[in-house]
Amino acid sequence: MDMSPARTRSRLALAGLVAVAGLLVSAALAGCGSDDPESADGDGSGRGGGDRSSSTGESDAAAESGCEARGTTTEEPATTVEVALDEYSIQPSTAEVPAGPVELVVANDGLIFHELVVVRHDGDPGSIPLNAAGAADLEQLDEEAEVGRLLDFMANSTCRATFDLAPGHYALLCNLVDDGFNPHYSQGMHTTFTVT
Ligand SMILES: [Cu+2]
C-alpha cells in the first residue's frame, strides 16, 4: 500500500519542512536587506563625522576653514611656536617661550581629528585627574586653568591661533574622546609648556 497513513504523514511533514525552509530563507534575505543600510549607517557615525560637524559648526566661517579657537588675543604675536599633533603625541618646536602673545601653528599630522587645549598646570602634564571617559577632567582644575583651545580639526590640516600667555607652567593636550572611548589624553597626547 503506497498511500499508507505513515507515508502520507511523512509527505505532509516534508512539504511542511520545505515551506518552513522557504519562509526561513526569505526571512533571512529580508534580514540581510535591512542589515546592510544599518551597518552602513553605523560605519558612518562610527567615524564621528556627524558629531564633529555639529560641534564645530558654530559659525559658518569656522566650518569653512575647519579652524576655530577660544581664548585668543588679537594682539600681534611676539613668538611663534609650531606644534605637531599625531596619534598620540604633541610636539611643540620649543617647550619654553617668553610671556606675551604666543602664536601656535598647529599641524594635525595624524589620520584623525585632534584638538589643542592650553591649560595652566604644574608638574607632570599627564597627571590631570581623568573623567569617566578617560579624558582629562578640566573641571577639577582651577576655574581659570584653561586659557585657550583650538577646537578639533581634521587630519592633514593646520590651524593657528594666538594666546596671551602669562608666565607659568602649562600643559598642552588633546582632550578628544573618539565615540565615547579612546581618550587621546590617556593615550599620551599631552606635554609640558613653560612661559617665562
Ligand atoms: Cu587627539
Side-chain angles (χ1 to χ4, degrees):
M1 302 278 278
D2 279 338
M3 298 301 284
S4 69
R7 286 215 174 169
T8 305
R9 273 199 300 276
S10 69
R11 276 187 194 166
L12 284 172
L14 185 62
L17 279 177
V18 168
V20 167
L23 284 175
L24 286 176
V25 166
S26 54
L29 287 176
C32 285
S34 65
D35 275 352
D36 282 341
E38 269 175 37
S39 61
D41 284 347
D43 288 343
S45 60
R47 295 194 183 98
D51 289 347
R52 294 224 165 80
S53 61
S54 62
S55 69
T56 55
E58 289 169 17
S59 79
D60 289 344
E64 266 176 45
S65 67
C67 295
E68 189 177 354
R70 290 184 194 144
T72 56
T73 176
T74 53
E75 291 176 64
E76 279 298 303
T79 313
T80 295
V81 179
E82 292 175 2
V83 184
L85 307 181
D86 208 337
E87 291 88 36
Y88 291 90
S89 64
I90 298 184
Q91 285 206 304
S93 55
T94 176
E96 189 172 310
V97 295
V102 178
E103 181 187 41
L104 301 181
V105 181
V106 186
N108 184 349
D109 296 331
L111 300 171
I112 58 178
F113 278 75
H114 291 294
E115 68 174 356
L116 187 76
V117 188
V118 183
V119 292
R120 282 180 157 278
H121 184 67
D122 285 322
D124 181 356
S127 68
I128 299 173
L130 303 181
N131 64 22
D137 190 357
L138 302 181
E139 290 179 7
Q140 292 197 37
L141 303 179
D142 291 341
E143 215 169 285
E144 311 264 297
E146 180 178 329
V147 299
R149 185 185 292 237
L150 258 167
L151 303 192
D152 54 336
F153 61 100
M154 63 193 294
N156 286 313
S157 63
T158 297
C159 289
R160 59 183 66 213
T162 301
F163 304 103
D164 194 9
L165 300 182
H169 296 288
Y170 295 79
L172 306 180
L173 59 95
C174 172
N175 220 20
L176 293 191
V177 179
D178 297 325
D179 301 316
F181 64 96
N182 191 32
H184 297 194
Y185 176 76
S186 296
Q187 295 260 42
M189 290 196 75
H190 49 70
T191 190
T192 53
F193 194 67
T194 303
V195 179
T196 57

